[in-house]
Amino acid sequence: MAPTLTLKTGTSWPDAWRRCLAVAPEAFRDDRVLNFWNGAWQEDGRALPAVSPVDGSPIAGPPRLDGTTAHRAVCAALDQHRAWRHLPLEERRARIAATLDALTEHRGLLALLLVWEIGKPWRLAQADVDRAIDGVRWYVDGVEPMLAGRSPLEGPVSNIASWNYPMSVLVHALLVQALAGNAVIAKTPTDGGVACLTLACALAAREGVPVTLVSGSGGELSQALVRAPEIGCVSFVGGRDTGAAVATAVTDLGKRHVLEQEGLNTWGIWNYSDWDTLTAVIPKLFDYGKQRCTAYPRFVVQRHLFDAFLAAYLPAVRTLRVGHPLAVEQPGDPYPQLDFGPVINAAKAKELRDQVAEAIDRGAVPLHRATPDDARFLPGQDTSAYVQPVTLLNPPPSSPLHHAEPFGPVDTIVLVDTEAELLAAMNASNGALVATLSTDDRATYDRLAPQIRAFKVGHGAPRSRGDRDELFGGLGASWRGAFVGGDLLVRAVTRGPQGERLPGNFPEYQLLP
């Protein structure tokens, strides 16, 4: 009989909220967070109700502004930008370094907020915070040569990002953009992360970093955050539908942009025999329930290797640990070691379950479907946002699981007989961020990898978004605008020599770094 679990001491949402009120009372009220613009915390916007994906309990929701107020915030950010861009680099560097010290001091609270707001297991929540801090510190230490001969943009950088990596993607980008001489604007993701971002921005604002933090619907705020003439660059991370609208707007306006969009990242298996290596990596591919832009939800497998693939894959996927990220046997126990907790909300969980059921009804073969029996939950807790791992063979072309990224713990497998079929299946989404080809023969990899439409292609190992000097982008419809990572991130948000062509995917050209 499984032991009855309890919440780890000091980790409840009320505990986290009390700590936020103590650390940054200027940014938090008893019942809400505030927007930050024009250098002040503003008690404006309509605070929406929100619940935690962890257990369905109430948490802080975003205080949504209207478009008029958002445009006032953008105008104020331009004033900040005009002052900040002339600040000496050493002063900017000192303020960003002080912000990193403050983030480090409150690392545990930031991670705990990520657990409650977006359902990250403790290990991954800490990693998100640490990657932001360590990544920005790399730029603080080495940015001077990256800025040689370059100047800040004419206006602030507007950041619209998805909810899944508030620290290592969004806060990381904000601080590097500011280090490069720009005022920065962030829109809080609608689906989660508002308290974590509010705390991080409060710590940055105390050090004099010109940050603006606003909440609101994308449709209502896009006129201000995307189209406003004051904006010097738009940085977007999200889905293709919204990204396409942003791409159209910034292209029409001739505005600098970085648009990271989704793609179906694939893992090909061709003339391969190192099954122990594959078995070891499978559980890692399920980190955070595959709710990340570099997840691999599709395996393309050579048909005559399918039995060997299953013998390596199924034992690994059966080891996955799912449950409440803060549920322990004794209140003082260490945090549980989980591969993932909930997906972002109950609506997404239902969507995934419906897509799986529909795919099976139309002919997909279920190879693995875990049950909640072994999951770690508190007695009586709401589990509506949890999805157990599923693996389907040959989702039908009519299913979204055939051609799109599920953004959840659902794997699909497609069988192929020829190299041409392998490449066609690996390129099913017209471009991706990452891909991997597992093959024993290096010459085969060298011949096929350039034909896979992904920015990064691994040989038998996963590729990631990368940190520090590792570049990042996407091919095809998975990316629009300038590539980032390493010195490319600094180049994307600064002006260089007259006529400079940035590496990236633009309507008029594509330039790989």
Side-chain angles (χ1 to χ4, degrees):
M1 181 177 175
T4 300
L5 301 179
T6 188
L7 197 67
K8 180 174 172 61
T9 299
T11 65
S12 71
W13 174 256
D15 290 330
W17 191 254
R18 281 191 293 270
R19 291 169 64 185
C20 290
L21 290 169
V23 171
E26 69 272 26
F28 293 84
R29 295 293 179 265
D30 288 340
D31 61 342
R32 62 178 292 172
V33 300
L34 305 184
N35 291 298
F36 187 72
W37 59 276
N38 197 25
W41 292 97
Q42 312 277 356
E43 200 164 344
D44 51 15
R46 180 169 59 93
L48 295 185
V51 298
S52 170
V54 170
D55 62 1
S57 59
I59 59 173
R64 297 176 65 156
L65 294 180
D66 57 35
T68 301
T69 307
H71 194 261
R72 290 172 58 202
V74 169
C75 291
L78 177 61
D79 291 338
Q80 290 180 310
H81 178 83
R82 287 170 171 165
W84 177 260
R85 72 195 306 268
H86 296 296
L87 211 63
L89 174 58
E90 282 308 308
E91 178 64 23
R92 301 199 305 264
R93 178 185 273 147
R95 295 190 190 188
I96 300 299
T99 300
L100 297 178
D101 291 342
L103 293 174
T104 301
E105 180 183 355
H106 299 291
R107 167 181 180 256
L109 177 54
L110 291 163
L112 184 58
L113 292 171
L114 292 180
V115 173
W116 280 110
E117 293 192 285
I118 60 174
K120 283 200 170 183
W122 180 252
R123 169 179 62 88
L124 300 177
Q126 281 189 309
D128 192 16
V129 177
D130 291 344
R131 285 183 64 187
I133 296 170
D134 296 343
V136 177
R137 206 176 293 281
W138 181 84
Y139 284 94
V140 168
D141 293 341
V143 75
E144 195 160 8
M146 302 182 201
L147 287 172
R150 307 192 69 81
S151 60
L153 299 175
E154 292 75 18
V157 182
S158 176
N159 293 267
I160 303 169
S162 59
W163 45 264
N164 52 342
Y165 284 90
M167 292 295 298
S168 63
V169 172
L170 183 49
V171 170
H172 177 279
L174 293 173
L175 295 180
V176 176
Q177 292 160 3
L179 179 64
N182 304 288
V184 292
I185 303 168
K187 175 188 172 298
T188 60
T190 303
D191 287 326
V194 62
C196 178
L197 283 170
T198 300
L199 178 58
C201 288
L203 298 175
R206 285 181 180 178
E207 304 301 335
V209 178
V211 61
T212 293
L213 181 68
V214 295
S215 295
S217 72
E220 189 163 9
L221 300 195
S222 64
Q223 193 69 30
L225 300 184
V226 176
R227 293 181 172 272
E230 294 86 353
I231 297 296
C233 176
V234 176
S235 177
F236 170 86
V237 180
R240 288 193 180 183
D241 290 344
T242 304
V246 174
T248 299
V250 295
T251 300
D252 290 347
L253 296 168
K255 198 180 292 290
R256 184 73 66 90
H257 58 284
V258 177
L259 310 181
E260 177 188 328
Q261 301 171 142
E262 64 188 17
L264 184 62
N265 305 318
T266 58
W267 192 301
I269 307 288
W270 190 262
N271 293 339
Y272 181 69
S273 63
D274 188 6
W275 301 112
D276 289 344
T277 295
L278 183 67
T279 297
V281 80
I282 291 299
K284 298 181 178 66
L285 301 183
F286 276 87
D287 272 357
Y288 195 34
K290 303 207 171 195
Q291 296 178 104
R292 59 192 198 281
C293 64
T294 54
Y296 287 83
R298 166 68 51 79
F299 288 90
V300 181
V301 182
Q302 193 173 11
R303 190 181 306 273
H304 82 82
L305 295 178
F306 184 47
D307 57 341
F309 170 83
L310 283 185
Y313 174 90
L314 289 175
V317 79
R318 289 172 183 146
T319 68
L320 294 172
R321 300 154 299 178
V322 182
H324 189 305
L326 303 171
V328 293
E329 294 183 19
Q330 299 296 328
D333 284 352
Y335 290 91
Q337 294 296 309
L338 301 174
D339 295 291
F340 61 94
V343 296
I344 187 57
N345 52 45
K348 179 62 178 180
K350 182 180 184 303
E351 174 190 292
L352 286 169
R353 287 191 287 264
D354 288 348
Q355 287 179 351
V356 168
E358 181 183 55
I360 293 172
D361 286 344
R362 295 181 180 181
V365 178
L367 300 176
H368 173 73
R369 282 187 284 187
T371 67
D373 298 343
D374 296 325
R376 296 172 55 89
F377 294 129
L378 297 178
Q381 80 160 82
D382 184 324
T383 61
S384 58
Y386 291 79
V387 177
Q388 302 303 315
V390 177
T391 306
L392 300 179
L393 174 66
N394 289 338
S398 59
S399 168
L401 297 177
H402 179 80
H403 54 80
E405 181 183 12
F407 230 64
V410 179
D411 272 351
T412 58
I413 300 171
V414 173
L415 303 182
V416 295
D417 297 297
T418 67
E419 289 184 356
E421 290 177 333
L422 173 81
L423 292 170
M426 293 190 71
N427 293 329
S429 67
N430 183 26
L433 304 176
V434 297
T436 291
L437 179 60
S438 289
T439 181
D440 293 342
D441 181 38
R442 179 72 200 197
T444 299
Y445 173 83
D446 291 340
R447 178 166 47 81
L448 296 179
Q451 302 177 68
I452 298 170
R453 289 179 56 76
F455 186 78
K456 296 180 181 179
V457 181
H459 185 191
R463 300 303 305 270
S464 68
R465 197 177 198 278
D467 292 305
R468 300 177 177 87
D469 58 350
E470 188 173 352
L471 307 183
F472 193 60
L475 298 188
S478 67
W479 198 279
R480 294 286 185 266
F483 296 144
V484 295
D487 69 317
L488 293 189
L489 175 52
V490 172
R491 291 172 65 183
V493 294
T494 54
R495 293 290 179 192
Q498 184 72 25
E500 177 185 45
R501 283 160 58 96
L502 295 174
N505 186 16
F506 296 93
E508 62 274 17
Y509 73 89
Q510 181 187 79
L511 179 62
L512 295 177

